[in-house]
Amino acid sequence: MTLTRNQVRDLLDRHGLAPSRAMGQNFVVDPNTIAAMVRAAELAPDQSVVEIGPGLGSLTRALAAEVQHVLAVEADRHILAPLAETAEAPNIEIVHADATTTEWRTKLGAPGQRWALVANLPYNIAVPLLLDLLDSEPRIETFTVMVQKEVADRLVASVGTKAYGIPTLKVAYWCEARIVRSVPATVFYPRPRVSSAVVRLERLPAPAVDADPDRLFFLVRTAFGQRRKMLRRSLDGHVSPEHFAQTTISPTARPEQLTLADWAELAAVASS
């Protein structure tokens, strides 16, 4: 059952709490949004799910009704008591941990374990956390996450657009990605000032391009750090005119004009 707006207020009041802006707490109070997230995750009954930022447990309970095990990772120690009250079930495991650290990941088990991540991610950690998990946690095979609409656009942006950048390329390297659903601010308590969206990322069997990821993303970060400059200027000292001549890439291009395959081509010649 999804807690209503009034139930959320009452539960917080009973525990002497208020939503924390610092923790990015905006609780979903719409059952249709919760149900849509669970459907988008395409979960199997024998699956294990990790939820980052369970809050007051509405999504946690919906997930627990579908799968064998839910690992709920909550950073806010104050919210643990009401969460334990609403999300009490034998297949729900609540862990008090900062998701941006690595300690909680021991709970994911051996390297061969397979997990899905389903979460209404706190806005302030969404991008760095997702990119870190893509790089470092192959045990998590799918990600179904609610994020700021602006963040969702950055994750799935088309080449040449303003939203296209480092997150887009990192996601494209590891995953297939799509926006599943737009989510209005009215489904949250308290209501945020921005709209949200549900994004689904499905990890590829192997990276999308054959390239040294360290070299590839060093060039990407360097170029996008000076986004308005032509590549010949932003990558000066890393990619020479001779390197450009070995590729189909113009040195006068700007970073948002290059596809992931273009970046892989540039990384290959620059490391030779």
Side-chain angles (χ1 to χ4, degrees), residues 3-258:
L3 295 178
T4 66
R5 197 176 306 271
N6 287 338
Q7 287 172 324
V8 168
R9 277 196 292 255
D10 291 345
L11 181 60
L12 291 173
D13 286 346
R14 191 148 42 82
H15 288 269
L17 299 172
S20 168
R21 181 174 296 181
M23 301 292 287
Q25 289 175 347
N26 300 95
F27 306 112
V28 180
V29 293
D30 174 54
N32 293 326
T33 301
I34 295 289
M37 285 195 71
V38 175
R39 286 196 303 272
E42 301 177 13
L43 301 168
D46 62 349
Q47 201 150 10
S48 295
V49 173
V50 58
E51 181 188 7
I52 304 295
L56 295 176
S58 288
L59 178 58
T60 317
R61 290 193 303 279
L63 292 169
E66 301 292 327
V67 300
Q68 67 174 2
H69 181 211
V70 178
L71 176 67
V73 182
E74 177 55 59
D76 184 2
R77 62 184 177 86
H78 302 291
I79 214 81
L80 293 174
L83 173 61
E85 182 180 320
T86 62
E88 185 179 3
N91 63 335
I92 296 175
E93 180 182 3
I94 299 171
V95 175
H96 177 215
D98 179 350
T100 63
T101 65
T102 58
E103 288 81 2
W104 64 273
R105 300 182 195 183
T106 60
K107 295 283 187 178
L108 299 179
Q113 293 282 91
R114 301 171 62 189
W115 289 78
L117 186 148
V118 186
N120 170 25
L121 289 178
Y123 290 162
N124 54 341
I125 66 167
V127 171
L129 177 63
L130 275 176
L131 299 190
D132 177 47
L133 292 175
L134 286 173
D135 281 340
S136 63
E137 276 304 336
R139 290 172 290 188
I140 302 177
E141 296 184 333
T142 63
F143 303 74
T144 306
V145 293
M146 183 137 57
V147 293
Q148 244 179 291
K149 179 63 166 59
E150 179 187 354
V151 169
D153 290 340
R154 290 168 62 197
L155 297 178
V156 303
S158 298
V159 64
T161 62
K162 185 177 179 181
Y164 186 82
I166 297 170
T168 321
L169 288 158
K170 183 61 69 76
V171 167
Y173 180 81
W174 289 115
C175 295
E176 290 185 353
R178 60 188 174 93
I179 294 178
V180 174
R181 179 186 179 95
S182 295
V183 181
T186 52
V187 308
F188 296 95
Y189 174 79
R191 184 182 299 188
R193 297 175 182 174
V194 294
S195 297
S196 301
V198 177
V199 181
R200 178 175 166 82
L201 313 178
E202 187 166 350
R203 194 181 286 275
L204 296 167
V209 293
D210 183 13
D212 174 4
D214 292 335
R215 183 63 179 167
L216 170 66
F217 286 105
F218 170 78
L219 294 178
V220 167
R221 288 191 302 272
T222 302
F224 276 97
Q226 303 175 75
R227 185 178 183 118
R228 294 185 179 182
K229 291 187 177 181
M230 296 178 185
L231 295 177
R232 69 184 181 194
R233 294 188 179 276
S234 61
L235 296 179
D236 185 33
H238 306 292
V239 182
S240 68
E242 291 75 23
H243 288 143
F244 278 112
Q246 297 174 50
T247 74
T248 58
I249 299 158
S250 170
T252 62
R254 288 179 170 80
E256 69 273 15
Q257 296 176 283
L258 271 61

